[in-house]
Amino acid sequence: MTQKNTDNGQNNGDFLNLAPRILELLKGVNQVELENFSMNIGDLDLFIPSCSYAAREGSGAPAACPPPARARPATLVPETYAPNLTEYPGRIREVTLGATKVGGGSRGKTVTIGGATTPAYADRLRLPPHSPVIALDVFDMPVSLPSALKAHVAGVLDNPAEWAKMNVEKYGADVVTIHLMSTDPLLRDTPVSAAVRTVEDILQAVDVPLIIGGCGDPKKDSLVFSEVAQMARGERLVLNSVTLDMAEAKLLEGVATAAKENDHILLAFTGLELNSAKELNRRLYEFIPPEQIIMDLTTVALGYGLEYSFTIHERARYAALMGDTELAHPVISAATNAWAAREAWMKMAGKYGPRELRGPIWETLNAVTLLLAGVDLFLMMHPAAVFTVRDIIGQLEKPAGSAVPPAIDWTGVPL
Amino acid sequence: MKSASGTTRKSIQKISPIDVYKLLPKTNCGECKEANCMAFATRLVNGELFLSGCPPLFTEKYARAREALEELMEPPVRAVTFGTGKNAVTIGGKYVLWRHEFTYHNPTAVAIDVHDQMTPDELVQRVGSIAQFTYNYIGRTLNVNAVAIRSVTKDPAAFAAAVRSVAGATDLPLILCTLDPAVMKAGLEKARDSRPLIYAANGDNWSAMADLALEAGAPLVVSAPGDPALLRSLVRTLLDCGVNDLVLDPGTFAGAGLPETISTFTDIRSQACRQFDELFGFPLLGLPLAVWTGDEISEDVLKWKEAVLASMLMSRYADILIMHSLDGWVLLPQLIWRFNLYTDPRKPVSVEAGVKPFGRPDKNSPVLVTTNYALTYFTVESDIKAANLDCYLIVADTGGLSVESAVAGRIFTAESIATALKDYSIAGLVDHTTLIIPGLAARLSGETEEATGWKILVGPKDSSGIPQFLREHWRTEH
C-alpha cells in the first residue's frame, strides 16, 4: 500500500503502523475491534482502492484506476535499495582437467572448473572462483560440416594433430576435444589401437587438457576409453562420455575403474532428465571420487529445444546449490549442437540474412544462454562464437566496483 | 510477503484449486466452457485460464468474490498493456522467477526503433519492414510487436509529425521515446486513444511525465539507469501520483556494464517474485539498442553485439526489448528463443507415438518415419503441411528424443522401426513396402532393410527437404 502522509504530523509513525490493518478491516477481510483508540478525522489520509489494483491477467484489459484522492508528492519519495544476497547451503565441486608434470601428466597447464556458490551471474559480490572455459572440437575422420564451419578448418580436416594445434594457437582453446568418431562400428570401426594412437598424437601436438569423445556405442567406447586411460595415465583426460546404457550393459565399472586408477575425469551424459543424472552419478560414486565427475545434461539447438536444456541446467544448478550433492558437479554444453538447427546452416530468404552470420550467431546464443544457466565448459567450433563467448565471460566476471560507462540518453542519438 | 492489503501473499505454486473454487460462484453454469467450477479453478491455478473467463464473476452479485480472487491470483509482476485492439501488447504478468517453477506468461515484446529525423517516406518504409518481418516456425508465425519512436531533434513539432506518420502507417503499438516532457506532450497528442508506452520518467522530469501519463491514460516507463534506489523512489512517487501502469528501466549497459545489467535485472525480478516486493513488481524494459550508442563503428559488429545482448536480456527477465537492427539474422534467433522460453515447461517433451495421415493419402502414398520428440515432430509436421503432401508419417516412440539423439542413444534402431511398422499395421495402409527414414538415421538403412524386409530410402537430413525428396525419388524408386 502506498501509504505515505505528506503532512508531518506528530502521530504519523503510529498511524503508519496501523494503516494496513485498517485497510484490511475496510475490505472486510477480517474483523478488528479497536479499543482505547481515538483520532481526529483530519489525521486520516486514506487511499481506499475502489477498483482492481492491477490488470492482473495475461489477457486482461488495463484497469482504469482513478487517481488517488490525496495530495500528490511534490518531491521524490525516498526509497532505499539493498541487493538480495541469498546464501546457498550447497556448492558446486571443483574439477581439474589435465595435469602438469608435477601433477603426473604432461600438460603445460591445467584447467579447473566449478566451485560456484550462487546461480550464474546473479550476484556481483560473489563471482565464481573459476571462469567457464571453451574446448574446441577436432574429429578423427572427415565429417560433413556446414560451409560456415568448414571454411575455418578446411586445411586441417584430415589432420587431427594439426587441427588441435590450430585450435590452441590460432583460436586460444583452453581445452581440445578429440572426437574418435571413426571408431563407430557403424562407420569405420577403427580399431582401439588406432584410436589410442590418435590420442597420443594430440597429446604430443598440444599441451592443453584433452577431452576424449567416443562414438556413442557403449561397448566400443568402453574398450577405447579403458585403453586410452591406461596409455595416458595421469593426464586427467575427460572421457566423454559414460551413460546409463553403459551401466545397463555392465560396462560402467570397467571404464570408471580405469579412469580412477589412471587419474582421469568422467563425463556423465544423460538426456534432459535429472533423476537419470543423479542415478548415473550414484552408480559412478561406487567406483570413482565425485571430484572426477562432470555432467553433460544434453544441449539441444536453439529452435529445436534449447529451452529444455536451459531449464534442466537451471534446475540442476539450483538443486545443487540448495544442497543436492548428487547434482553438485560442473556441467558442460556442446554449443556446436546449435548447428543442427536449419536456421543455422540453411540458405533462406534474403530478409533472414546470410547463413555465414546466422550459423555463428546461433552457436553463440546457444552458448550464452546456457552460460546464464550455469554451464562451466563449452564445446565449440566457430571462431566468431568462441571469441564472443570468451568476451562475454570476461565482461561478466569483472569484479564489482569496476568502472561502468555512464548512461547515455539513447532516445536522442541519431542512428 | 505482504500484499497491498497486508495479507500474506502466496506464491502461485501454493495456491490450490480449492482456494480458488471457494471463491467462484459454484453454479457450474458452464459459461467458461469448462465442465464445472472446479475444472475452471484447476485450469486457473495452472495459468491456462484467467478470471475473465468466468463472466458471472463480473456481475454485481460476485463483486466481493472477484476482488478476493483478483488479490489471490495477482501475479507478483504486474501485467501492463499498451496499444489497443488486436495488436495490443501485454507485458509482465509473471508469477515466477524461473520458468520451471510454473510457466512464463506474456512473451517478451520486441520493439524496433525509428526516429523523428527520418522523412515521412523513410518512416513509412521502415515501419512497413518492421510489420512485415515474420517467420514461420513449426507452424506458428513469429513477428515483431511494436515501434519505438525516438526524438532525435528534440523538437515538439518534428516529433509530433513523426508520430503522426508512424501511427498512420501501422496498427502496431507505439513507444514514444523522449525525456523532454514538452516533446512528449506533442507526440502524445498525435497518438490519442492508442495507449502508447511512454518512455520515460526519470529523476528530473517525473512530475511532468506523470501528468502526461495520467492525461493520456497510458503506461509509463520509469528510468533510472544504474541506480536501483532511484528507481524505487520513482516507482513509489509515481504510484503516489496515481500512475499505476509502470514499466522499469534499470538501465542496459553493454560492455563493461554488462555484469551490473544482468545482476540488477536478476535481483529486481527475484525480489519481486520471491519477496513480493511491490516497487519491483513491474515489467522490465531491456535496451539492446544501447550497444549502438558506444564507440564501435562497424555495423555488423554492432548488430552482432545487439543480438547477443537481446538474447541475454530475454533470458534474464526482460519483458520488453527495444532494438535497432532489423536484420533477419539478428531478429530470428530472438523471436525463436522467445517462443521457446515462453512454452509451458510442464508440457511433455514428447508427442504420442503412432501413425499420422497427412492430406489424403492412398495405397500408393509415401510412408515416412520420425521420432516422437515434440519439436522434431512439429517441425516435420509443419514441413509436410506447408507442402500439402499426401503421406503417412510414423511417429516412433523414442521417449521424446530427437532423431540424432535417438540414433546415437540406440533407441531409434532397426528393431524399433520394425516394431513400429508392425504395431501400427502399416502394411495394411499401403500397397507397397518402401519406407523413408530420416537422413540423420542413414546409418540404420542396411540393418532396417534386414529387420523389416521393407525397402529403405534415406530421406533428407532436414525435413525441409522432404517435398523435393519425394518429387525426385518417390515415383521412380519405390
Side-chain angles (χ1 to χ4, degrees):
Chain A
M1 187 39 56
T2 59
Q3 196 55 55
K4 210 87 191 190
N5 200 326
T6 47
D7 121 34
N8 293 318
Q10 192 100 53
N11 298 324
N12 268 2
D14 296 334
F15 173 71
L16 285 175
N17 293 334
L18 277 170
R21 305 218 47 198
I22 291 175
L23 281 169
E24 224 171 77
L25 178 68
L26 290 170
K27 289 184 104 180
V29 172
N30 53 30
Q31 302 289 321
V32 176
E33 223 166 87
L34 293 178
E35 287 177 334
N36 305 323
F37 178 85
S38 72
M39 64 176 168
N40 297 323
I41 203 71
D43 291 334
L44 272 175
D45 185 11
L46 280 182
F47 171 26
I48 302 163
S50 58
C51 66
S52 100
Y53 186 67
R56 291 173 165 89
E57 306 175 356
S59 59
C65 268
R70 67 198 160 92
R72 70 180 260 166
T75 57
L76 270 180
V77 182
E79 287 284 344
T80 56
Y81 167 70
N84 171 36
L85 301 176
T86 310
E87 290 287 340
Y88 293 88
R91 179 175 197 275
I92 307 305
R93 293 181 181 88
E94 294 177 78
V95 175
T96 299
L97 282 55
T100 58
K101 209 164 176 185
V102 179
S106 65
R107 306 296 80 203
K109 57 187 168 225
T110 65
V111 166
T112 300
I113 55 174
T117 55
T118 66
Y121 309 113
D123 190 331
R124 287 291 289 127
L125 298 176
R126 285 171 298 173
L127 291 172
H130 308 291
S131 295
V133 296
I134 298 173
L136 295 192
D137 284 346
V138 172
F139 291 87
D140 74 340
M141 63 178 275
V143 281
S144 73
L145 293 172
S147 55
L149 283 177
K150 208 170 207 163
H152 298 277
V153 294
V156 292
L157 261 178
D158 52 2
N159 190 336
E162 281 304 311
W163 191 342
K165 245 183 167 152
M166 184 188 76
N167 283 346
V168 175
E169 287 166 13
K170 194 167 171 193
Y171 301 125
D174 302 302
V175 177
V176 165
T177 305
I178 169 70
H179 294 279
L180 300 169
M181 198 173 149
S182 72
T183 59
D184 192 331
L186 294 177
L187 294 170
R188 287 188 180 173
D189 203 12
T190 309
V192 174
S193 55
V196 171
R197 260 199 314 281
T198 303
V199 176
E200 274 184 299
D201 288 349
I202 310 269
L203 280 168
Q204 291 287 327
V206 296
D207 73 348
V208 299
L210 299 190
I211 297 173
I212 311 302
C215 67
D217 181 88
K219 202 164 166 212
K220 186 67 177 278
D221 280 354
S222 70
L223 292 171
V224 169
F225 289 158
S226 298
E227 288 293 316
V228 167
Q230 283 173 38
M231 177 278 291
R233 186 178 171 83
E235 293 285 6
R236 289 186 82 84
L237 306 174
V238 177
L239 304 179
N240 172 13
S241 55
V242 291
T243 60
L244 282 171
D245 281 353
M246 277 188 182
E248 219 163 276
K250 311 252 181 268
L251 298 164
L252 199 61
E253 180 170 0
V255 177
T257 307
K260 177 175 187 277
E261 285 174 356
N262 298 290
D263 200 17
H264 298 297
I265 313 297
L266 291 177
L267 180 56
F269 175 81
T270 48
L272 299 170
E273 222 285 300
L274 288 190
N275 287 326
S276 307
K278 284 160 66 80
E279 185 191 338
L280 179 54
N281 287 345
R282 280 197 299 273
R283 295 203 182 190
L284 290 173
Y285 297 156
E286 292 175 32
F287 312 114
I288 193 165
E291 289 69 29
Q292 279 167 263
I293 301 171
I294 56 184
M295 301 190 293
D296 181 347
L297 303 173
T298 299
T299 295
V300 190
L302 167 59
Y304 283 43
L306 176 60
E307 68 277 23
Y308 297 116
S309 298
F310 179 68
T311 285
I312 209 84
H313 279 100
E314 289 206 312
R315 285 178 53 201
R317 185 50 54 99
Y318 184 63
L321 292 173
M322 291 305 286
D324 187 338
T325 54
E326 289 171 359
L327 292 171
H329 296 271
V331 282
I332 79 145
S333 160
T336 38
N337 288 353
W339 292 87
R342 62 176 62 164
E343 290 84 358
W345 57 264
M346 205 163 74
K347 268 193 184 149
M348 293 170 68
K351 66 173 171 177
Y352 301 117
R355 55 183 172 171
E356 286 71 23
L357 287 168
R358 264 187 279 119
I361 199 73
W362 229 260
E363 183 179 335
T364 304
L365 299 186
N366 234 82
V368 163
T369 301
L370 295 185
L371 178 70
L372 293 173
V375 164
D376 302 281
L377 190 160
F378 293 95
L379 307 188
M380 303 190 68
M381 274 194 90
H382 197 283
V386 171
F387 177 84
T388 309
V389 172
R390 188 178 291 131
D391 180 52
I392 293 285
I393 291 170
Q395 299 286 10
L396 286 173
E397 305 211 339
K398 286 228 169 73
S402 324
V404 171
I408 290 168
D409 174 15
W410 56 270
T411 63
V413 176
L415 295 177
Chain B
M1 307 255 180
K2 299 286 176 183
S3 74
S5 64
T7 50
T8 300
R9 300 249 344 230
K10 265 188 186 180
S11 75
I12 189 76
Q13 300 119 294
K14 294 194 177 124
I15 298 172
S16 78
I18 299 287
D19 293 336
V20 170
Y21 178 75
K22 283 192 292 200
L23 294 164
L24 288 173
K26 296 186 280 281
T27 55
N28 300 331
C29 70
E31 280 193 62
C32 58
K33 311 273 191 283
E34 295 301 307
N36 48 50
C37 290
M38 192 62 202
F40 180 79
T42 305
R43 297 196 61 194
L44 192 78
V45 297
N46 279 339
E48 297 162 7
L49 296 176
F50 298 99
L51 287 178
S52 53
C54 175
L57 271 184
F58 293 81
T59 58
E60 190 57 39
K61 188 174 168 193
Y62 296 107
R64 287 269 290 273
R66 189 187 78 230
E67 241 179 71
L69 274 167
E70 278 171 345
E71 186 167 324
L72 180 71
M73 296 297 295
E74 183 182 356
V77 176
R78 184 189 174 97
V80 170
T81 300
F82 69 105
T84 54
K86 69 175 170 54
N87 287 324
V89 172
T90 299
I91 56 175
K94 302 295 194 288
Y95 284 96
V96 289
L97 184 63
W98 286 318
R99 65 193 278 279
H100 65 259
E101 296 175 289
F102 189 56
T103 184
Y104 287 162
H105 290 91
N106 304 316
T108 309
V110 175
I112 303 289
D113 82 319
V114 298
H115 62 77
D116 64 358
Q117 254 177 359
M118 297 166 76
T119 66
D121 283 352
E122 287 170 336
L123 283 170
V124 168
Q125 203 202 353
R126 183 159 163 95
V127 166
S129 308
I130 294 168
Q132 279 155 29
F133 187 87
T134 59
Y135 182 63
N136 185 296
Y137 171 71
I138 56 170
R140 319 292 176 89
T141 303
L142 308 183
N143 52 341
V144 173
N145 313 90
V147 180
I149 312 170
R150 303 184 296 115
S151 174
V152 171
T153 63
K154 306 209 189 316
D155 169 34
F159 190 57
V163 173
R164 194 180 53 222
S165 293
V166 174
T170 183
D171 291 333
L172 289 176
L174 307 181
I175 307 173
L176 306 191
C177 310
T178 174
L179 298 176
D180 182 335
V183 176
M184 182 61 75
K185 186 174 165 54
L188 281 169
E189 274 161 15
K190 301 296 175 196
R192 279 202 185 287
D193 308 320
S194 70
R195 204 175 152 80
L197 178 60
I198 301 174
Y199 184 97
N202 63 15
D204 302 322
N205 68 12
W206 60 268
S207 187
M209 286 294 184
D211 287 337
L212 291 173
L214 287 170
E215 193 185 306
L220 178 61
V221 179
V222 184
S223 178
D227 190 347
L230 175 62
L231 191 69
R232 294 176 67 78
S233 279
L234 282 164
V235 170
R236 171 70 76 200
T237 308
L238 289 163
L239 286 172
D240 283 1
C241 290
V243 188
N244 294 315
D245 281 335
L246 301 174
V247 174
L248 310 179
D249 168 24
T252 297
F253 300 91
L258 183 64
E260 253 74 26
T261 304
I262 297 298
S263 62
T264 304
F265 270 64
T266 304
D267 191 48
I268 288 176
R269 185 49 48 92
S270 165
Q271 294 204 23
C273 291
R274 293 267 194 271
Q275 276 91 46
F276 296 99
D277 184 282
E278 272 183 83
L279 300 182
F280 279 160
F282 294 91
L284 282 161
L285 168 71
L287 296 163
L289 56 51
V291 303
W292 292 84
T293 61
D295 34 17
E296 172 64 49
I297 42 165
S298 154
E299 285 224 345
D300 273 343
V301 171
L302 286 164
K303 289 170 185 171
W304 182 274
K305 289 187 168 186
E306 185 172 28
V308 175
L309 185 55
S311 167
M312 294 181 81
L313 288 168
M314 188 139 47
S315 299
R316 280 295 163 255
Y317 314 115
D319 299 286
I320 176 167
L321 297 174
I322 302 179
M323 300 182 66
H324 179 65
S325 312
L326 194 43
D327 293 63
W329 63 272
V330 175
L331 289 180
L332 198 53
Q334 316 305 335
L335 300 189
I336 292 179
W337 179 231
R338 169 177 73 183
F339 183 90
N340 297 154
L341 195 59
Y342 282 80
T343 53
D344 190 337
R346 299 166 300 178
K347 294 237 166 83
V349 186
S350 53
V351 295
E352 206 182 331
V355 59
K356 281 258 312 184
F358 286 93
R360 279 171 298 173
D362 59 27
K363 293 269 178 185
N364 293 313
S365 295
V367 180
L368 304 98
V369 62
T370 189
T371 72
N372 76 329
Y373 175 48
L375 284 164
T376 299
Y377 173 75
F378 290 130
T379 306
V380 178
E381 178 195 54
S382 143
D383 288 328
I384 291 175
K385 281 185 174 166
N388 291 315
L389 302 175
D390 300 314
C391 65
Y392 291 103
L393 178 65
I394 301 172
V395 185
D397 186 355
T398 54
L401 284 183
S402 68
V403 173
E404 201 166 20
S405 310
V407 170
R410 269 67 180 170
I411 293 165
F412 192 58
T413 59
E415 291 70 40
S416 72
I417 293 172
T419 309
L421 278 177
K422 207 166 116 242
D423 286 355
Y424 309 134
S425 312
I426 307 303
L429 294 175
V430 289
D431 285 341
H432 62 81
T433 52
T434 301
L435 176 67
I436 301 166
I437 66 170
L440 289 172
R443 60 160 90 160
L444 304 180
S445 64
E447 295 179 344
T448 310
E449 289 209 335
E450 278 172 38
T452 60
W454 283 47
K455 178 179 177 184
I456 301 299
L457 292 184
V458 176
K461 281 190 174 175
D462 187 282
S463 60
S464 58
I466 289 175
Q468 190 190 355
F469 177 86
L470 291 181
R471 268 197 309 279
E472 288 172 3
H473 300 277
W474 185 245
R475 292 288 163 226
T476 53
E477 289 183 33
H478 88 273

